[in-house]
Protein backbone atom coordinates (compact mmCIF):
# COMPACT_ATOMS: atom_id res chain seq x y z
CA UNK A 1 0.00 0.00 0.00
CA UNK A 2 0.93 3.60 -0.49
CA UNK A 3 3.14 4.78 2.37
CA UNK A 4 3.15 8.41 1.26
CA UNK A 5 -0.43 8.62 2.48
CA UNK A 6 0.91 9.79 5.82
CA UNK A 7 1.07 13.33 4.52
CA UNK A 8 -2.16 13.02 2.56
CA UNK A 9 -2.18 14.91 -0.69
CA UNK A 10 0.09 17.68 0.60
CA UNK A 11 2.66 19.05 -1.85
CA UNK A 12 5.57 20.54 0.14
CA UNK A 13 6.54 24.07 -0.86
CA UNK A 14 7.50 27.54 0.32
CA UNK A 15 5.05 29.61 -1.69
CA UNK A 16 2.88 32.44 -0.40
CA UNK A 17 -0.13 30.14 -0.36
CA UNK A 18 1.71 27.54 1.74
CA UNK A 19 2.56 30.13 4.37
CA UNK A 20 -0.94 31.46 4.94
CA UNK A 21 -2.28 30.51 8.37
CA UNK A 22 -4.54 27.44 7.93
CA UNK A 23 -7.34 29.13 9.87
CA UNK A 24 -7.40 31.94 7.31
CA UNK A 25 -7.43 29.43 4.45
CA UNK A 26 -10.51 27.71 5.84
CA UNK A 27 -12.27 31.04 6.28
CA UNK A 28 -11.44 32.02 2.70
CA UNK A 29 -12.96 28.76 1.42
CA UNK A 30 -16.22 29.41 3.24
CA UNK A 31 -16.41 33.00 2.01
CA UNK A 32 -15.74 31.82 -1.52
CA UNK A 33 -18.56 29.27 -1.35
CA UNK A 34 -20.97 32.08 -0.53
CA UNK A 35 -19.55 34.33 -3.24
CA UNK A 36 -19.85 31.66 -5.92
CA UNK A 37 -23.57 31.30 -5.29
CA UNK A 38 -24.04 35.08 -5.27
CA UNK A 39 -22.50 35.55 -8.73
CA UNK A 40 -25.18 36.38 -11.26
CA UNK A 41 -23.61 37.91 -14.35
CA UNK A 42 -20.67 37.45 -16.69
CA UNK A 43 -18.34 39.88 -14.97
CA UNK A 44 -18.89 38.49 -11.50
CA UNK A 45 -17.92 35.05 -12.78
CA UNK A 46 -14.87 36.54 -14.51
CA UNK A 47 -13.71 38.08 -11.23
CA UNK A 48 -14.10 34.73 -9.47
CA UNK A 49 -12.03 33.04 -12.18
CA UNK A 50 -9.38 35.70 -11.68
CA UNK A 51 -9.31 35.08 -7.92
CA UNK A 52 -8.95 31.31 -8.31
CA UNK A 53 -6.29 31.33 -11.01
CA UNK A 54 -4.28 34.02 -9.23
CA UNK A 55 -4.27 31.78 -6.15
CA UNK A 56 -3.13 28.80 -8.21
CA UNK A 57 -0.31 30.84 -9.76
CA UNK A 58 0.86 32.09 -6.36
CA UNK A 59 0.98 28.57 -4.93
CA UNK A 60 3.47 27.42 -7.57
CA UNK A 61 1.90 23.97 -7.41
CA UNK A 62 2.03 22.16 -10.77
CA UNK A 63 -1.24 22.45 -12.67
CA UNK A 64 -1.35 18.67 -13.13
CA UNK A 65 -2.01 18.26 -9.40
CA UNK A 66 -4.90 20.71 -9.57
CA UNK A 67 -6.55 18.90 -12.44
CA UNK A 68 -6.14 15.59 -10.68
CA UNK A 69 -8.53 16.96 -8.06
CA UNK A 70 -11.03 17.66 -10.83
CA UNK A 71 -10.89 14.17 -12.30
CA UNK A 72 -13.76 12.61 -10.29
CA UNK A 73 -15.91 15.66 -10.96
CA UNK A 74 -15.58 16.09 -14.72
CA UNK A 75 -18.45 13.78 -15.57
CA UNK A 76 -20.71 15.49 -13.03
CA UNK A 77 -19.97 18.89 -14.54
CA UNK A 78 -20.59 17.60 -18.05
CA UNK A 79 -23.80 15.77 -17.18
CA UNK A 80 -25.18 18.78 -15.34
CA UNK A 81 -24.34 21.09 -18.23
CA UNK A 82 -25.89 18.77 -20.81
CA UNK A 83 -28.98 18.27 -18.71
CA UNK A 84 -29.70 21.99 -18.42
CA UNK A 85 -28.99 22.48 -22.10
CA UNK A 86 -31.90 20.23 -22.97
CA UNK A 87 -34.31 20.88 -20.12
CA UNK A 88 -34.28 24.61 -19.52
CA UNK A 89 -36.67 26.43 -21.85
CA UNK A 90 -36.30 30.13 -21.14
CA UNK A 91 -35.35 32.79 -23.69
CA UNK A 92 -34.84 32.34 -27.41
CA UNK A 93 -34.12 29.13 -29.25
CA UNK A 94 -30.47 29.03 -30.28
CA UNK A 95 -30.26 25.68 -32.01
CA UNK A 96 -32.93 23.25 -33.14
CA UNK A 97 -31.75 19.72 -33.85
CA UNK A 98 -33.77 16.54 -34.42
CA UNK A 99 -36.74 18.00 -32.59
CA UNK A 100 -34.64 19.02 -29.59
CA UNK A 101 -34.43 22.73 -28.80
CA UNK A 102 -31.52 24.43 -27.08
CA UNK A 103 -32.52 27.68 -25.39
CA UNK A 104 -30.53 30.73 -24.32
CA UNK A 105 -31.45 30.30 -20.66
CA UNK A 106 -30.42 26.64 -20.75
CA UNK A 107 -26.94 27.48 -21.95
CA UNK A 108 -26.44 30.19 -19.34
CA UNK A 109 -27.84 28.06 -16.52
CA UNK A 110 -25.75 25.04 -17.49
CA UNK A 111 -22.60 27.13 -17.81
CA UNK A 112 -23.26 28.82 -14.45
CA UNK A 113 -23.62 25.57 -12.53
CA UNK A 114 -20.66 23.96 -14.28
CA UNK A 115 -18.58 27.03 -13.41
CA UNK A 116 -19.58 26.83 -9.76
CA UNK A 117 -18.39 23.26 -9.38
CA UNK A 118 -15.25 23.96 -11.40
CA UNK A 119 -14.12 26.95 -9.32
CA UNK A 120 -15.10 25.46 -5.95
CA UNK A 121 -13.23 22.22 -6.61
CA UNK A 122 -10.09 24.01 -7.76
CA UNK A 123 -9.91 26.26 -4.71
CA UNK A 124 -10.68 23.39 -2.31
CA UNK A 125 -8.06 21.22 -4.01
CA UNK A 126 -5.58 24.06 -3.62
CA UNK A 127 -6.27 24.12 0.13
CA UNK A 128 -5.73 20.38 0.33
CA UNK A 129 -2.49 20.50 -1.66
CA UNK A 130 -0.97 23.41 0.28
CA UNK A 131 -1.88 22.42 3.85
CA UNK A 132 -1.03 19.33 5.88
CA UNK A 133 -3.91 17.38 7.46
CA UNK A 134 -2.50 18.05 10.93
CA UNK A 135 -2.45 21.79 10.24
CA UNK A 136 -6.06 21.64 9.07
CA UNK A 137 -6.97 19.71 12.22
CA UNK A 138 -5.39 22.47 14.32
CA UNK A 139 -7.29 25.07 12.32
CA UNK A 140 -10.60 23.24 12.75
CA UNK A 141 -10.06 23.06 16.50
CA UNK A 142 -9.23 26.77 16.65
CA UNK A 143 -12.23 27.80 14.55
CA UNK A 144 -14.61 25.61 16.55
CA UNK A 145 -13.44 27.10 19.85
CA UNK A 146 -16.36 29.59 20.10
CA UNK A 147 -18.69 26.57 20.12
CA UNK A 148 -17.37 25.60 23.54
CA UNK A 149 -19.74 28.20 24.94
CA UNK A 150 -22.61 25.97 23.81
CA UNK A 151 -20.84 22.91 25.19
CA UNK A 152 -19.62 21.59 21.86
CA UNK A 153 -16.79 19.11 22.58
CA UNK A 154 -14.07 20.94 20.66
CA UNK A 155 -11.07 19.45 22.43
CA UNK A 156 -12.44 15.92 22.29
CA UNK A 157 -13.15 16.17 18.57
CA UNK A 158 -9.64 17.44 17.91
CA UNK A 159 -8.19 14.64 20.04
CA UNK A 160 -10.15 11.99 18.15
CA UNK A 161 -9.08 13.46 14.82
CA UNK A 162 -5.43 13.31 15.87
CA UNK A 163 -5.78 9.72 17.07
CA UNK A 164 -7.49 8.62 13.85
CA UNK A 165 -4.89 10.35 11.67
CA UNK A 166 -2.15 8.64 13.65
CA UNK A 167 -3.66 5.17 13.29
CA UNK A 168 -4.63 5.16 9.63
CA UNK A 169 -1.09 4.26 8.46
CA UNK A 170 -0.88 1.64 11.22
CA UNK A 171 -4.09 -0.04 10.08
CA UNK A 172 -2.96 0.14 6.46
CA UNK A 173 0.18 -1.80 7.36
CA UNK A 174 -1.85 -4.20 9.46
CA UNK A 175 -4.31 -4.78 6.62
CA UNK A 176 -1.38 -5.41 4.32
CA UNK A 177 0.11 -7.99 6.69
CA UNK A 178 -3.19 -9.78 7.24
CA UNK A 179 -3.85 -9.76 3.51
CA UNK A 180 -0.49 -11.38 2.79
CA UNK A 181 -0.92 -13.90 5.58
CA UNK A 182 -4.30 -14.92 4.21
CA UNK A 183 -2.92 -15.08 0.67
CA UNK A 184 -0.21 -17.44 1.95
CA UNK A 185 -3.04 -19.62 3.23
CA UNK A 186 -4.77 -19.59 -0.14
CA UNK A 187 -7.37 -16.83 0.29
CA UNK A 188 -7.71 -13.96 -2.18
CA UNK A 189 -10.73 -11.67 -2.15
CA UNK A 190 -9.88 -10.09 -5.51
CA UNK A 191 -10.31 -13.24 -7.59
CA UNK A 192 -12.71 -16.11 -8.04
CA UNK A 193 -16.47 -16.38 -7.64
CA UNK A 194 -18.39 -13.67 -5.86
CA UNK A 195 -19.29 -15.94 -2.97
CA UNK A 196 -15.65 -16.97 -2.55
CA UNK A 197 -14.50 -13.37 -2.54
CA UNK A 198 -16.94 -12.45 0.16
CA UNK A 199 -15.85 -15.44 2.18
CA UNK A 200 -12.26 -14.25 1.81
CA UNK A 201 -13.21 -10.84 3.21
CA UNK A 202 -14.18 -12.20 6.62
CA UNK A 203 -10.68 -13.38 7.64
CA UNK A 204 -9.42 -9.99 6.48
CA UNK A 205 -11.80 -7.68 8.33
CA UNK A 206 -12.45 -9.55 11.56
CA UNK A 207 -8.79 -9.66 12.70
CA UNK A 208 -8.44 -5.98 11.81
CA UNK A 209 -11.47 -5.02 13.89
CA UNK A 210 -10.42 -7.12 16.87
CA UNK A 211 -6.89 -5.73 16.83
CA UNK A 212 -8.28 -2.18 16.69
CA UNK A 213 -10.30 -2.85 19.85
CA UNK A 214 -7.16 -4.09 21.59
CA UNK A 215 -5.23 -1.02 20.51
CA UNK A 216 -7.99 1.26 21.77
CA UNK A 217 -7.83 -0.24 25.25
CA UNK A 218 -4.02 -0.20 25.35
CA UNK A 219 -3.96 3.43 24.22
CA UNK A 220 -6.51 4.53 26.82
CA UNK A 221 -4.45 2.94 29.60
CA UNK A 222 -1.24 4.47 28.30
CA UNK A 223 -2.75 7.95 28.08
CA UNK A 224 -4.07 7.84 31.62
CA UNK A 225 -0.73 6.51 32.86
CA UNK A 226 0.95 9.52 31.27
CA UNK A 227 -1.20 11.94 33.22
CA UNK A 228 -3.87 12.80 30.66
CA UNK A 229 -7.06 13.99 32.31
CA UNK A 230 -8.92 15.99 29.72
CA UNK A 231 -8.50 19.49 28.35
CA UNK A 232 -8.14 21.31 31.66
CA UNK A 233 -4.63 22.59 32.24
CA UNK A 234 -3.17 21.36 28.96
CA UNK A 235 -0.67 23.26 26.82
CA UNK A 236 -0.13 23.05 23.07
CA UNK A 237 3.01 21.87 21.30
CA UNK A 238 1.97 23.28 17.92
CA UNK A 239 0.92 26.93 17.96
CA UNK A 240 -0.83 28.76 15.13
CA UNK A 241 -0.02 32.42 14.62
CA UNK A 242 -0.73 35.11 12.06
CA UNK A 243 2.19 36.62 10.18
CA UNK A 244 2.73 39.55 7.83
CA UNK A 245 1.59 37.46 4.86
CA UNK A 246 -1.75 36.79 6.54
CA UNK A 247 -2.48 40.48 7.04
CA UNK A 248 -1.63 41.21 3.40
CA UNK A 249 -3.99 38.41 2.35
CA UNK A 250 -6.78 39.77 4.55
CA UNK A 251 -6.49 43.23 3.02
CA UNK A 252 -6.42 41.79 -0.51
CA UNK A 253 -9.47 39.71 0.29
CA UNK A 254 -11.44 42.73 1.50
CA UNK A 255 -10.55 44.69 -1.64
CA UNK A 256 -11.62 41.76 -3.80
CA UNK A 257 -14.94 41.28 -1.99
CA UNK A 258 -15.84 44.96 -2.28
CA UNK A 259 -15.08 44.89 -6.01
CA UNK A 260 -17.05 41.68 -6.43
CA UNK A 261 -20.07 43.11 -4.63
CA UNK A 262 -20.10 46.19 -6.88
CA UNK A 263 -19.74 44.10 -10.05
CA UNK A 264 -22.54 41.64 -9.41
CA UNK A 265 -25.43 44.14 -9.82
CA UNK B 1 -11.67 5.57 34.68
CA UNK B 2 -11.38 8.94 33.01
CA UNK B 3 -14.65 10.39 31.69
CA UNK B 4 -15.77 13.40 29.67
CA UNK B 5 -19.11 15.13 29.39
CA UNK B 6 -20.11 15.65 25.77
CA UNK B 7 -23.53 17.01 24.95
CA UNK B 8 -24.99 15.60 28.12
CA UNK B 9 -23.35 12.26 27.43
CA UNK B 10 -20.82 10.78 29.83
CA UNK B 11 -18.10 9.22 27.73
CA UNK B 12 -15.09 7.22 28.84
CA UNK B 13 -11.71 7.84 27.28
CA UNK B 14 -11.57 4.28 25.98
CA UNK B 15 -14.93 4.74 24.22
CA UNK B 16 -13.68 7.94 22.64
CA UNK B 17 -10.70 6.01 21.31
CA UNK B 18 -12.97 3.24 20.00
CA UNK B 19 -14.69 5.92 17.93
CA UNK B 20 -11.32 7.13 16.65
CA UNK B 21 -10.29 3.62 15.69
CA UNK B 22 -13.48 3.09 13.72
CA UNK B 23 -12.91 6.31 11.82
CA UNK B 24 -9.41 5.07 10.97
CA UNK B 25 -10.81 1.73 9.81
CA UNK B 26 -13.28 3.57 7.57
CA UNK B 27 -10.26 5.18 5.95
CA UNK B 28 -8.49 1.88 5.40
CA UNK B 29 -11.58 0.28 3.86
CA UNK B 30 -11.79 3.14 1.39
CA UNK B 31 -8.28 2.37 0.19
CA UNK B 32 -8.92 -1.28 -0.62
CA UNK B 33 -9.36 -1.92 -4.35
CA UNK B 34 -13.01 -2.21 -5.40
CA UNK B 35 -14.47 -5.60 -6.29
CA UNK B 36 -15.83 -5.67 -9.86
CA UNK B 37 -19.23 -7.24 -10.48
CA UNK B 38 -19.94 -9.09 -13.70
CA UNK B 39 -23.54 -7.96 -13.97
CA UNK B 40 -23.15 -4.30 -12.99
CA UNK B 41 -20.98 -1.47 -14.35
CA UNK B 42 -20.41 -0.15 -10.81
CA UNK B 43 -17.81 -2.08 -8.76
CA UNK B 44 -18.30 -2.64 -5.04
CA UNK B 45 -16.34 -0.23 -2.88
CA UNK B 46 -15.91 -1.32 0.70
CA UNK B 47 -16.23 2.09 2.34
CA UNK B 48 -19.97 1.92 2.99
CA UNK B 49 -19.35 -1.51 4.47
CA UNK B 50 -17.47 0.43 7.14
CA UNK B 51 -20.55 2.57 7.78
CA UNK B 52 -22.67 -0.53 8.33
CA UNK B 53 -20.03 -2.06 10.59
CA UNK B 54 -19.82 1.14 12.65
CA UNK B 55 -23.54 0.89 13.28
CA UNK B 56 -23.64 -2.88 13.77
CA UNK B 57 -20.63 -3.16 16.08
CA UNK B 58 -19.90 0.19 17.69
CA UNK B 59 -23.51 1.33 17.78
CA UNK B 60 -24.80 -1.99 19.07
CA UNK B 61 -22.35 -1.97 21.98
CA UNK B 62 -21.91 1.64 23.00
CA UNK B 63 -25.00 3.23 21.51
CA UNK B 64 -26.09 4.89 18.26
CA UNK B 65 -24.55 8.23 19.20
CA UNK B 66 -21.08 6.71 19.16
CA UNK B 67 -21.68 5.18 15.74
CA UNK B 68 -22.82 8.54 14.37
CA UNK B 69 -19.87 10.27 16.03
CA UNK B 70 -17.44 7.92 14.26
CA UNK B 71 -18.88 9.02 10.92
CA UNK B 72 -18.74 12.71 11.82
CA UNK B 73 -15.12 12.17 12.78
CA UNK B 74 -14.30 10.35 9.56
CA UNK B 75 -15.86 13.09 7.43
CA UNK B 76 -13.90 15.73 9.36
CA UNK B 77 -10.69 13.85 8.61
CA UNK B 78 -11.60 13.61 4.93
CA UNK B 79 -12.20 17.36 4.98
CA UNK B 80 -8.65 17.94 6.28
CA UNK B 81 -7.32 16.59 3.01
CA UNK B 82 -6.66 12.91 3.59
CA UNK B 83 -7.48 11.02 0.36
CA UNK B 84 -9.51 8.37 2.17
CA UNK B 85 -12.65 8.20 0.06
CA UNK B 86 -12.89 5.54 -2.62
CA UNK B 87 -10.71 6.40 -5.58
CA UNK B 88 -8.34 8.47 -3.47
CA UNK B 89 -10.63 11.47 -3.08
CA UNK B 90 -10.42 13.81 -0.13
CA UNK B 91 -10.31 17.42 0.93
CA UNK B 92 -13.08 19.94 1.34
CA UNK B 93 -13.82 19.65 -2.37
CA UNK B 94 -15.71 16.38 -1.96
CA UNK B 95 -18.33 18.20 0.10
CA UNK B 96 -18.95 20.68 -2.71
CA UNK B 97 -20.02 18.05 -5.24
CA UNK B 98 -23.43 16.44 -5.79
CA UNK B 99 -22.25 13.27 -4.01
CA UNK B 100 -21.92 15.21 -0.75
CA UNK B 101 -25.40 14.16 0.34
CA UNK B 102 -24.38 10.51 0.35
CA UNK B 103 -21.39 11.28 2.58
CA UNK B 104 -23.51 13.15 5.08
CA UNK B 105 -26.12 10.39 5.05
CA UNK B 106 -23.52 8.06 6.58
CA UNK B 107 -24.02 9.83 9.92
CA UNK B 108 -27.75 9.12 9.95
CA UNK B 109 -27.16 5.64 8.54
CA UNK B 110 -24.79 4.61 11.33
CA UNK B 111 -27.14 6.09 13.92
CA UNK B 112 -30.19 4.19 12.64
CA UNK B 113 -28.31 0.90 12.41
CA UNK B 114 -26.86 1.38 15.89
CA UNK B 115 -30.23 2.30 17.36
CA UNK B 116 -31.96 -0.76 15.92
CA UNK B 117 -29.10 -3.12 16.79
CA UNK B 118 -29.00 -1.99 20.39
CA UNK B 119 -32.63 -3.00 20.79
CA UNK B 120 -32.11 -6.55 19.56
CA UNK B 121 -32.94 -9.27 22.07
CA UNK B 122 -31.20 -12.00 20.12
CA UNK B 123 -28.48 -11.43 17.55
CA UNK B 124 -29.43 -13.40 14.45
CA UNK B 125 -28.22 -12.97 10.87
CA UNK B 126 -31.63 -12.31 9.30
CA UNK B 127 -32.42 -9.56 11.77
CA UNK B 128 -29.06 -7.94 11.07
CA UNK B 129 -29.84 -8.15 7.35
CA UNK B 130 -33.09 -6.26 7.82
CA UNK B 131 -31.50 -3.62 10.03
CA UNK B 132 -28.62 -2.98 7.62
CA UNK B 133 -31.01 -2.81 4.68
CA UNK B 134 -33.04 -0.12 6.42
CA UNK B 135 -30.13 1.88 7.79
CA UNK B 136 -27.43 1.09 5.28
CA UNK B 137 -29.39 1.38 2.04
CA UNK B 138 -32.76 3.04 2.56
CA UNK B 139 -31.59 5.89 4.82
CA UNK B 140 -28.52 6.55 2.66
CA UNK B 141 -30.54 6.98 -0.53
CA UNK B 142 -33.28 8.87 1.29
CA UNK B 143 -30.76 11.61 2.08
CA UNK B 144 -28.25 11.31 -0.75
CA UNK B 145 -30.61 11.38 -3.73
CA UNK B 146 -32.46 14.64 -2.89
CA UNK B 147 -29.19 16.44 -2.13
CA UNK B 148 -27.74 15.25 -5.42
CA UNK B 149 -30.82 16.44 -7.27
CA UNK B 150 -30.72 19.80 -5.52
CA UNK B 151 -27.06 20.49 -6.23
CA UNK B 152 -27.28 19.48 -9.88
CA UNK B 153 -30.67 21.23 -10.11
CA UNK B 154 -32.32 18.24 -11.76
CA UNK B 155 -35.52 16.38 -10.82
CA UNK B 156 -35.32 13.93 -7.92
CA UNK B 157 -36.63 11.11 -10.11
CA UNK B 158 -33.72 11.59 -12.50
CA UNK B 159 -31.18 11.40 -9.66
CA UNK B 160 -32.94 8.32 -8.25
CA UNK B 161 -32.75 6.49 -11.58
CA UNK B 162 -29.03 7.20 -11.77
CA UNK B 163 -28.50 5.83 -8.25
CA UNK B 164 -30.11 2.49 -9.08
CA UNK B 165 -26.85 1.20 -10.55
CA UNK B 166 -25.27 1.26 -7.08
CA UNK B 167 -28.00 -0.85 -5.52
CA UNK B 168 -26.67 -4.39 -6.25
CA UNK B 169 -23.31 -3.59 -4.63
CA UNK B 170 -24.97 -2.05 -1.59
CA UNK B 171 -27.17 -5.10 -1.03
CA UNK B 172 -24.14 -7.37 -1.16
CA UNK B 173 -22.42 -5.17 1.40
CA UNK B 174 -25.45 -5.53 3.66
CA UNK B 175 -24.97 -9.30 3.54
CA UNK B 176 -21.25 -9.01 4.27
CA UNK B 177 -21.69 -6.55 7.14
CA UNK B 178 -24.39 -8.68 8.75
CA UNK B 179 -22.27 -11.82 8.76
CA UNK B 180 -19.21 -9.98 10.09
CA UNK B 181 -21.21 -8.29 12.84
CA UNK B 182 -22.75 -11.56 14.02
CA UNK B 183 -19.38 -13.31 13.98
CA UNK B 184 -17.78 -10.49 15.93
CA UNK B 185 -20.61 -10.39 18.42
CA UNK B 186 -19.71 -13.90 19.51
CA UNK B 187 -15.96 -13.69 18.94
CA UNK B 188 -14.99 -10.32 20.44
CA UNK B 189 -15.08 -10.28 24.24
CA UNK B 190 -13.37 -6.91 24.45
CA UNK B 191 -16.24 -4.57 23.86
CA UNK B 192 -18.65 -6.54 26.03
CA UNK B 193 -17.01 -5.18 29.16
CA UNK B 194 -16.82 -1.74 27.58
CA UNK B 195 -20.50 -1.04 28.04
CA UNK B 196 -20.21 -1.26 31.82
Amino acid sequence: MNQSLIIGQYVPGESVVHKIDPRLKLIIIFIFVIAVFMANNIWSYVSLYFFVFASVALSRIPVAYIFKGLKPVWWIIIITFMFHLFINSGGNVIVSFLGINVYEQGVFQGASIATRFFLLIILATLLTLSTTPIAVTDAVEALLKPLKKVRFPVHEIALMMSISLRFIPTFMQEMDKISKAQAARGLDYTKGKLKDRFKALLPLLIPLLISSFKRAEDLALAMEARGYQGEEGRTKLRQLSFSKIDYIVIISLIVFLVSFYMIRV
Amino acid sequence: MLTFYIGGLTIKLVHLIYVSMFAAIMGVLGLLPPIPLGFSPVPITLQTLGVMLAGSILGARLGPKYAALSQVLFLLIVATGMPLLSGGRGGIGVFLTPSAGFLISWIASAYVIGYLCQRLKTVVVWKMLLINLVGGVFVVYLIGVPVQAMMMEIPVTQAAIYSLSFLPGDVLKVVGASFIAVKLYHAAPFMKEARA
Side-chain angles (χ1 to χ4, degrees):
Chain A
M1 286 188 182
N2 186 2
Q3 294 300 322
S4 71
L5 191 88
I6 291 175
I7 56 167
Q9 303 174 85
Y10 178 68
V11 179
E14 290 299 323
S15 74
V16 169
V17 174
H18 281 83
K19 290 176 178 173
I20 298 175
D21 189 291
R23 290 171 292 180
L24 183 53
K25 286 178 185 172
L26 282 183
I27 291 175
I28 290 175
I29 293 279
F30 291 134
I31 291 176
F32 193 81
V33 170
I34 296 170
V36 125
F37 283 96
M38 282 176 63
N40 56 9
N41 62 15
I42 299 287
W43 290 109
S44 51
Y45 280 111
V46 167
S47 65
L48 292 177
Y49 268 100
F50 170 79
F51 180 87
V52 168
F53 289 129
S55 301
V56 170
L58 282 175
S59 71
R60 284 191 251 130
I61 291 176
V63 175
Y65 283 106
I66 305 289
F67 279 97
K68 185 185 169 190
L70 281 165
K71 193 160 62 176
V73 182
W74 276 127
W75 68 268
I76 292 178
I77 294 179
I78 292 171
I79 286 180
T80 306
F81 182 74
M82 288 301 197
F83 196 86
H84 279 276
L85 223 59
F86 297 133
I87 292 299
N88 204 306
S89 57
N92 301 320
V93 175
I94 295 179
V95 176
S96 190
F97 183 71
L98 294 179
I100 298 175
N101 294 325
V102 174
Y103 293 85
E104 232 171 39
Q105 191 66 27
V107 173
F108 183 80
Q109 184 78 343
S112 296
I113 296 176
T115 293
R116 282 180 201 162
F117 288 132
F118 184 72
L119 292 177
L120 286 173
I121 298 301
I122 291 184
L123 201 67
T125 300
L126 192 60
L127 168 74
T128 301
L129 295 174
S130 66
T131 320
T132 63
I134 291 293
V136 180
T137 302
D138 288 337
V140 168
E141 183 183 8
L143 293 177
L144 289 179
K145 200 146 271 183
L147 292 184
K148 285 172 64 182
K149 291 179 167 60
V150 293
R151 292 189 180 176
F152 191 80
V154 176
H155 167 75
E156 287 73 21
I157 293 285
L159 175 69
M160 287 189 281
M161 286 177 77
S162 296
I163 292 175
S164 290
L165 282 171
R166 156 65 181 81
F167 276 94
I168 288 170
T170 300
F171 287 152
M172 280 173 53
Q173 290 170 22
E174 182 121 2
M175 180 71 94
D176 202 37
K177 283 180 192 169
I178 297 174
S179 183
K180 286 181 172 131
Q182 300 297 357
R185 300 175 64 238
L187 292 166
D188 188 351
Y189 84 98
T190 60
K191 293 169 188 170
K193 294 177 182 176
L194 197 63
K195 194 180 68 173
D196 293 332
R197 272 182 271 172
F198 259 66
K199 278 185 178 177
L201 265 183
L202 296 197
L204 195 59
L205 293 181
I206 291 180
L208 181 72
L209 287 164
I210 293 181
S211 89
S212 74
F213 300 156
K214 266 182 182 174
R215 285 182 198 278
E217 285 159 17
D218 290 346
L219 180 58
L221 270 182
M223 286 173 68
E224 294 193 22
R226 299 192 72 187
Y228 177 79
Q229 49 187 357
E231 182 180 15
E232 197 86 12
R234 285 182 64 81
T235 58
K236 226 176 186 345
L237 178 64
R238 301 184 301 266
Q239 298 281 357
L240 297 174
S241 64
F242 271 34
S243 64
K244 204 184 335 183
I245 287 180
D246 296 299
Y247 293 116
I248 294 176
V249 169
I250 290 174
I251 293 173
S252 306
L253 184 64
I254 292 174
V255 170
F256 171 80
L257 289 177
V258 171
S259 308
F260 174 79
Y261 189 75
M262 290 191 298
I263 286 175
R264 70 176 282 275
V265 171
Chain B
M1 190 161 276
L2 185 61
T3 60
F4 299 94
Y5 298 94
I6 299 180
L9 183 75
T10 302
I11 177 173
K12 293 183 166 65
L13 176 61
V14 65
H15 294 176
L16 187 147
I17 300 178
Y18 279 135
V19 171
S20 304
M21 294 301 181
F22 251 95
I25 287 177
M26 282 282 298
V28 174
L29 289 177
L31 297 174
L32 293 180
I35 302 174
L37 292 175
F39 55 88
S40 169
V42 181
I44 298 180
T45 58
L46 295 177
Q47 196 128 63
T48 48
L49 178 64
V51 181
M52 298 172 191
L53 289 177
S56 305
I57 296 170
L58 196 60
R61 289 299 183 187
L62 304 186
K65 284 180 180 175
Y66 291 80
L69 183 57
S70 72
Q71 300 308 305
V72 171
L73 187 62
F74 176 70
L75 294 178
L76 274 174
I77 291 168
V78 166
T80 66
M82 295 292 285
L84 299 176
L85 293 180
S86 304
R89 294 171 293 136
I92 283 179
V94 299
F95 296 98
L96 305 171
T97 68
S99 307
F102 289 98
L103 299 181
I104 292 169
S105 73
W106 291 353
I107 301 171
S109 172
Y111 187 96
V112 169
I113 295 174
Y115 177 82
L116 294 176
C117 282
Q118 202 181 34
R119 297 165 61 85
L120 278 183
K121 302 290 185 183
T122 58
V123 176
V124 186
V125 171
W126 68 266
K127 288 182 180 177
M128 291 299 288
L129 284 171
L130 284 182
I131 289 173
N132 278 295
L133 272 175
V134 170
V137 178
F138 181 72
V139 168
V140 167
Y141 286 90
L142 187 65
I143 297 173
V145 168
V147 171
Q148 183 174 51
M150 183 189 71
M151 290 192 72
M152 295 176 79
E153 297 188 20
I154 62 177
V156 173
T157 50
Q158 190 74 24
I161 290 173
Y162 164 71
S163 296
L164 285 182
S165 57
F166 293 92
L167 216 47
D170 284 342
V171 171
L172 284 171
K173 273 174 274 188
V174 165
V175 176
S178 302
F179 274 98
I180 292 173
V182 170
K183 246 183 208 298
L184 267 175
Y185 181 85
H186 300 297
F190 308 98
M191 291 185 72
K192 283 176 179 173
E193 313 152 15
R195 195 204 284 255

